[in-house]
Amino acid sequence: MITSGFKLTENTPMGIRHIFIQNLKYYRKKAGFTQEKLAEAIGMSTSYIGDMEARERFPSAETIDKIAEALNVRTSILFDDKACPENIKISFQRIYGKSLQQELAGRILKDIEDVCGLI
């Protein structure tokens, strides 16, 4: 069993590892697999799957291929940032979050000025 030794944290930006983990969880659940059932299907321990999903391990290329086969998805879909709802949400927030915040702040300031100007 080979791992990268890299530990993801909650503050890790949405990189390829984060995308993989979110897609793994999504497609595992969509396939109706528990961590235990997936572990059995790919010949790994349940704790290994749990560690992956907890961002404490990253699988080898061989293991990723086994996961995709077990889940009946293309390997590439596990790395697609638009493949699961959680990743789409994060991408949207990253792309549009600042501009929406600025737009709302501008509207609020205008409303405050309008109200204060009427008094």
Side-chain angles (χ1 to χ4, degrees), residues 19-87:
I19 291 166
F20 171 82
I21 291 163
Q22 295 295 22
N23 288 338
L24 169 62
K25 290 177 186 178
Y26 176 75
Y27 285 101
R28 176 179 61 76
K29 291 173 184 175
K30 186 174 180 184
F33 279 28
T34 61
Q35 288 182 351
E36 184 177 72
K37 186 175 176 183
L38 178 59
E40 186 178 303
I42 66 170
M44 299 295 228
S45 69
T46 303
S47 64
Y48 184 82
I49 303 299
D51 287 349
M52 274 194 300
E53 291 189 4
R55 304 176 189 183
E56 294 182 14
R57 291 184 182 211
F58 195 78
S60 68
E62 181 181 297
T63 301
I64 292 168
D65 286 338
K66 287 179 183 179
I67 290 168
E69 185 177 333
L71 298 178
N72 199 29
V73 297
R74 293 182 327 275
T75 302
S76 61
I77 202 80
L78 295 173
F79 295 95
D80 185 343
D81 67 343
K82 308 280 187 298
C84 84
E86 183 62 24
N87 287 340

Side-chain angles (χ1 to χ4, degrees), residues 88-99:
I88 293 169
K89 176 182 151 191
I90 292 168
S91 292
F92 182 85
Q93 288 172 335
R94 189 176 38 188
I95 294 167
Y96 298 106
K98 281 275 190 218
S99 62

Side-chain angles (χ1 to χ4, degrees), residues 1-33:
M1 176 170 34
I2 300 171
T3 62
S4 68
F6 179 82
K7 182 169 179 166
L8 294 170
T9 66
E10 291 302 314
N11 297 324
T12 302
M14 192 168 113
I16 196 75
R17 292 170 187 259
H18 180 82
I19 291 166
F20 171 82
I21 291 163
Q22 295 295 22
N23 288 338
L24 169 62
K25 290 177 186 178
Y26 176 75
Y27 285 101
R28 176 179 61 76
K29 291 173 184 175
K30 186 174 180 184
F33 279 28

